[in-house]
């Protein structure tokens, strides 16, 4: 039997932070997890302290954007246990990105081990149950090396840091907090490009459209499909959902990030609530016929869309109780106040 590499002594005293009022901001926790890929193998460095990374100046991640990241949450359940939510799906999404960016996959076992160890090491920073805050887990993947040519790296760093966070959208999140979004005239990702993977470059490209929307008083930019600018793609770092009569709709597009939250909500709707669900193209014009709209993601959970503005059109959507129903079920599964029929909770044991 493998001996443990670390002995985490966890009495779970909470760090003295005001978990209930925190925003979605970085707070340096004491420990991070790191592994390095060199000469064809992943070598686990394990739990490290330094928040600063020392990288070769020619690294592909710095010049050519050979970088990927993930985002997930660890929450304290009502039973006092710590739970990650579907971390294997994050590992698989990261590896879909690694394949596209021509780097080696991170073994799923290594990914999960990292999530577990970094959470265990920083256990006092996991917000208590009922505060609305959670431990945001940020795995990331960098192509590094002494290089100048445009080609994939031969060495990689896989690192995970964590930070306790509160709501993503200012003014709070949750199904009853309406937000306004602006249809962007810019694209976030190219058709048949990298929109479906969580590559850092996609996000640098969203800064300008995001700033444009926010400077006009909107929470974020709503992107249309980059090919025809006719169909809804997604909203900032969240997927789009709509209710049309009794059906839950979500856009089908190759330039949208496949959200794990969306996948979960669609499954809850179809399997637990027996609502019809459809993943298909949703034209912006179809908003005229839609009864309610929301966006979803790890950070946004499920957030009611109150208004969408285009240059010469405006849609208003009422709050719909079904968003609350979906939200309660999802958060209930995540925090163990509900059964977990799909085995989505991933317990991280302390000590
Ligand atoms: C562009 C984009 N869309 C959607 C999402 C939501 O995905 P998830 O539910 O897996 O957090 C994210 C966040 O990861 C994102 O960055």
């Amino acid at each position: 039997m493998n001996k443990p590499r670390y002995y985490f002594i966890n009495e779970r005293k909470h760090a003295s932070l005001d978990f209930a009022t925190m925003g979605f901001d970085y707070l340096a926790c004491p420990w991070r997890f790191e592994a390095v890929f060199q000469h064809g193998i992943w070598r686990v460095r394990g739990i490290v302290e330094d928040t600063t990374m020392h990288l070769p100046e020619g690294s592909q991640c710095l010049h050519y954007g050979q970088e990927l990241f993930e985002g997930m949450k660890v929450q304290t359940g009502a039973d006092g246990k710590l739970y990650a939510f579907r971390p294997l799906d994050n590992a698989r999404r990261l590896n879909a990105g690694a394949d596209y960016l021509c780097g080696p996959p991170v073994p799923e076992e290594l990914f999960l081990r990292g999530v577990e160890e970094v959470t265990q090491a920083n256990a006092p920073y996991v917000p208590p149950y009922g505060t609305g805050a959670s431990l945001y887990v940020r795995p990331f993947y960098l192509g590094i090396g002494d290089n100048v040519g445009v080609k994939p790296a031969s060495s990689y760093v896989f690192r995970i840091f964590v930070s306790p966070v509160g709501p993503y959208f200012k003014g709070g999140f949750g199904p009853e907090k309406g937000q306004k979004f602006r249809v962007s005239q810019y694209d976030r990702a190219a058709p048949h490009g990298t929109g479906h993977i969580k590559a850092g470059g996609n996000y640098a490209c969203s800064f300008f459209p995001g700033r444009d929307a926010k400077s006009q008083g909107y929470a974020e930019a709503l992107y249309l499909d980059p090919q025809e600018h006719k169909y809804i793609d997604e909203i900032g770092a969240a997927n789009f959902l709509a209710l049309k009569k009794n059906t839950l709709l979500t856009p089908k597009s190759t330039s949208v990030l496949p959200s794990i939250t969306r996948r979960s909500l669609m499954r809850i709707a179809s399997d637990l609530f027996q609502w019809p669900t459809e993943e298909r193209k949703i034209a912006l014009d179809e908003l005229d016929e839609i009864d309610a709209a929301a966006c979803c993601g790890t950070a946004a959970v499920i957030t009611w869309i109150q208004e969408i503005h285009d240059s010469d059109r405006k849609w208003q959507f009422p709050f719909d109780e079904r968003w609350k129903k979906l939200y309660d079920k999802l958060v209930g599964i995540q925090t163990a106040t509900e059964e977990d029929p799909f085995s989505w909770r991933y317990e991280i044991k302390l000590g």
Side-chain angles (χ1 to χ4, degrees), residues 69-71 90 93 136 188 195 198 203 234-239 256-262 296-299:
F69 67 99
E70 273 300 327
N90 293 90
R93 190 167 64 186
Y136 183 74
R188 170 188 166 269
K198 217 163 154 58
Y203 295 80
E234 59 185 330
I235 294 184
N239 279 184
V256 158
L257 188 81
S259 153
I260 294 162
T261 314
R262 166 171 90 163
C296 68
T298 297

Side-chain angles (χ1 to χ4, degrees), residues 214-230:
K214 285 174 196 159
S215 70
Q216 296 173 55
Y218 299 95
E220 253 301 348
L222 182 153
Y223 296 101
L224 298 179
D225 80 280
Q227 185 112 37
E228 296 178 72
H229 295 123
K230 192 170 159 194

Side-chain angles (χ1 to χ4, degrees), residues 69-73 84-97 108 111-112 115 136-137 139 158 198 257-261 263 298:
F69 67 99
E70 273 300 327
M72 69 181 93
K73 280 176 179 172
F85 185 67
R86 306 186 70 170
L88 195 55
D89 293 77
N90 293 90
R92 290 180 177 154
R93 190 167 64 186
L94 183 95
N95 283 336
E108 290 172 359
F111 186 101
L112 295 176
V115 172
Y136 183 74
V137 179
F158 171 62
K198 217 163 154 58
L257 188 81
S259 153
I260 294 162
T261 314
R263 221 175 292 165
T298 297

Side-chain angles (χ1 to χ4, degrees), residues 247-269:
T247 303
L248 180 63
L249 296 176
T250 195
K252 191 175 180 68
S253 163
T254 53
S255 45
V256 158
L257 188 81
S259 153
I260 294 162
T261 314
R262 166 171 90 163
R263 221 175 292 165
S264 308
L265 292 168
M266 296 297 277
R267 187 88 194 271
I268 289 171

Side-chain angles (χ1 to χ4, degrees), residues 181 222 232-235 238-244 247-251 259 261-267 269 275 277-279 282 287 290-297 300-305 308 317 322-323 326-327 330:
F181 299 98
L222 182 153
I232 294 175
D233 244 6
E234 59 185 330
I235 294 184
N239 279 184
F240 180 77
L241 297 171
L243 286 162
K244 187 172 179 182
T247 303
L248 180 63
L249 296 176
T250 195
S259 153
T261 314
R262 166 171 90 163
R263 221 175 292 165
S264 308
L265 292 168
M266 296 297 277
R267 187 88 194 271
W275 298 350
T277 58
E278 258 183 84
E279 187 178 338
I282 304 173
L287 288 182
I290 269 163
D291 300 308
C295 60
C296 68
V301 192
I302 177 164
T303 296
W304 161 34
I305 299 177
I308 295 176
F317 302 101
R322 286 172 288 179
W323 298 138
L326 283 167
Y327 177 92
L330 176 72

Side-chain angles (χ1 to χ4, degrees), residues 12 14 72-86 115 119 123 125-137 165 173 261 297-299 301 327 330-336 345-348 350:
R12 268 278 275 159
H14 288 286
M72 69 181 93
K73 280 176 179 172
V74 169
Q75 297 182 71
T76 307
D79 54 7
K81 295 178 181 169
L82 304 191
Y83 296 106
F85 185 67
R86 306 186 70 170
V115 172
T119 303
Y125 292 82
V126 187
Y129 175 73
T131 55
S134 53
L135 188 75
Y136 183 74
V137 179
V165 293
F173 58 175
T261 314
T298 297
V301 192
Y327 177 92
L330 176 72
V331 174
I333 293 175
Q334 289 174 336
T335 55
R345 280 197 295 269
Y346 184 92
E347 189 189 342
I348 297 177
L350 299 180

